[in-house]
Amino acid sequence: RDLHSFPTRRSSDLLNRALGSGTCTNPQRNQAHILLGAIEYQQGNPKAAKAHFVTAYQYDRSTSPSSQLFPPQLIEFYREVNNIKDHK
C-alpha cells in the first residue's frame, strides 16, 4: 500500500492524540513521530517532516523508517536530518 492511501488527517489526529495522552513509551513515540514525519514529507512539508524525524530519533536511535513501508527518498531524508552515516 502506498502512503498516499492513508486518510492522512485522521491518522495525524490519532497519532497526535496518542502522543498527547502521556501514556506512550519511547519506542511508541518514535514510531508515531516517524509516521507523522512521513505524512508531512509526502505532503511536501519538509520542515515539519524534519521536526518529527529529529524528535523520533531522540526517542529511539536504533529505529528508523522501514524500507518495506517507505520510499528510499524518505529514508534518506530521515538519515540526513539526523546525521546518520552509513556503516560501510
Side-chain angles (χ1 to χ4, degrees):
R1 292 190 176 195
D2 189 73
L3 190 60
H4 293 291
S5 67
F6 275 28
T8 55
R9 176 172 284 167
R10 181 150 188 237
S11 298
S12 294
D13 290 346
L14 289 171
L15 290 166
N16 281 312
R17 202 171 318 135
L19 287 168
S21 73
T23 61
C24 294
T25 64
N26 283 353
Q28 290 169 332
R29 289 178 185 281
N30 166 272
Q31 290 299 303
H33 281 289
I34 286 175
L35 290 170
L36 288 165
I39 289 168
E40 295 291 354
Y41 183 87
Q42 294 292 83
Q43 291 180 336
N45 302 318
K47 195 172 186 179
K50 178 181 178 179
H52 283 294
F53 287 161
V54 168
T55 301
Y57 189 67
Q58 290 170 348
Y59 281 115
D60 187 349
R61 293 177 184 271
S62 67
T63 303
S64 61
S66 167
S67 61
Q68 294 180 345
L69 295 176
F70 301 108
Q73 312 91 294
L74 185 145
I75 294 168
E76 181 57 34
F77 182 74
Y78 180 91
R79 294 175 62 78
E80 190 177 295
V81 300
N82 286 304
N83 200 28
I84 300 169
K85 306 289 185 214
D86 284 333
H87 298 289
K88 294 181 181 177

